[in-house]
Amino acid sequence: MERVFDIINADDFNFSLTNLLIDLYSSKYEMYFNELDFDEKAIDNLDSKQLDKLTKLAAVIEYVGNRQPKAKLYPWIFSGKLKLEYPYTPGVEKGSIARVRRIFSAPKEFALRNVFYDEHTLKPI
């Protein structure tokens, strides 16, 4: 639970998320997935910025976890409370064709939450 709180409360969320991605793709990924426990009831106590970051974090964790054979995905990751009101598409302009393409071609882990990272790089902007 502590690691999740550290990431969503970090001064530089994108830097923390990038470090997590490095860990989740490392050879010790099982250990890092085990650190991602979070109390689902605590979601109700988060402010809107924290909830926004937690939603983005859950989308990335689920995406990577579904591609790592022994990754542990906790129930909070699938919470119905983790969905953005407006589509989040980092790195592309709002009215661009690239944004529409990203939304239509997004993996389900992102589309269910309205979070649309580039699936090839998972690079947050």
Side-chain angles (χ1 to χ4, degrees), residues 33-82:
F33 272 99
N34 287 335
E35 294 176 354
L36 299 174
D37 192 14
F38 188 77
D39 182 8
E40 198 170 347
K41 294 174 186 171
I43 293 172
D44 294 329
N45 300 326
L46 299 176
D47 63 34
S48 62
K49 285 184 179 183
Q50 290 173 318
L51 188 59
D52 181 80
K53 291 176 182 179
L54 186 65
T55 301
K56 294 169 186 175
L57 180 62
V60 169
I61 293 169
E62 183 182 2
Y63 179 82
V64 176
N66 285 341
R67 285 147 184 83
Q68 295 284 38
K70 296 179 183 173
K72 182 172 186 174
L73 295 175
Y74 291 97
W76 71 269
I77 294 169
F78 306 102
S79 172
K81 299 172 188 171
L82 299 178

Side-chain angles (χ1 to χ4, degrees), residues 93-112:
E93 294 181 25
K94 277 198 172 183
S96 72
I97 300 280
R99 182 173 193 256
V100 174
R101 189 177 310 129
R102 186 177 293 175
I103 289 171
F104 280 124
S105 65
K108 71 173 177 65
E109 296 93 347
F110 296 140
L112 291 173

